[in-house]
Amino acid sequence: MIKFVNVLVRREGLSHEEFVERWTGDHAELASELPGLRRYTTSVPTDPEQSSHDGIVELYFDDMGALGAAFESDAGQAVQDDAAEFVDMERSERLIVEETVQLDETV
């Protein structure tokens, strides 16, 4: 399983609350349509005033081919264009990782 992790910073001029509303609302609907997407999570800081970032998004795909195809698709382009309207891409950080679960008590 490949996981695309993006640690997000909002664009200048948006409050944290405005960012979260946009990100978890209309943008989440767009992102959930990415082809090949297996799991999609968002995490918001419990104390945003003490955080250097506004949120973390995790997108799960079967493999790198599926991730690449998702972002090369029309849906992927729409997601990227939309994110550019409220995410500061220069200050946000991106990782592509292969997840290894060490413990999962939720199953």
Side-chain angles (χ1 to χ4, degrees):
M1 181 81 45
I2 296 296
K3 180 167 54 171
F4 175 93
V5 181
N6 208 343
V7 185
L8 303 172
V9 176
R10 70 185 181 271
R11 286 184 68 96
E12 191 76 31
L14 286 178
S15 70
H16 174 75
E17 292 75 19
E18 290 169 328
F19 167 85
V20 170
E21 183 178 329
R22 172 75 182 274
W23 179 44
T24 61
D26 293 341
H27 185 75
E29 288 181 33
L30 276 177
S32 66
E33 298 298 321
L34 286 168
L37 183 63
R38 304 280 297 202
R39 186 167 189 237
Y40 172 28
T41 67
T42 57
S43 302
V44 177
T46 56
D47 187 357
E49 297 298 320
Q50 299 299 314
S51 180
S52 60
H53 295 80
D54 292 284
I56 300 171
V57 61
E58 297 172 297
L59 305 172
Y60 294 75
F61 297 90
D62 286 332
D63 52 40
M64 287 298 294
L67 184 149
F71 283 98
E72 290 170 7
S73 70
D74 290 343
Q77 190 59 57
V79 166
Q80 293 173 81
D81 291 347
D82 187 61
E85 293 181 12
F86 64 95
V87 175
D88 184 331
M89 298 301 190
E90 296 290 319
R91 293 176 45 219
S92 297
E93 300 174 45
R94 180 180 76 180
L95 296 163
I96 297 174
V97 299
E98 189 165 340
E99 181 177 71
T100 303
V101 177
Q102 305 299 338
L103 173 69
D104 187 349
E105 298 275 338
T106 64
V107 219

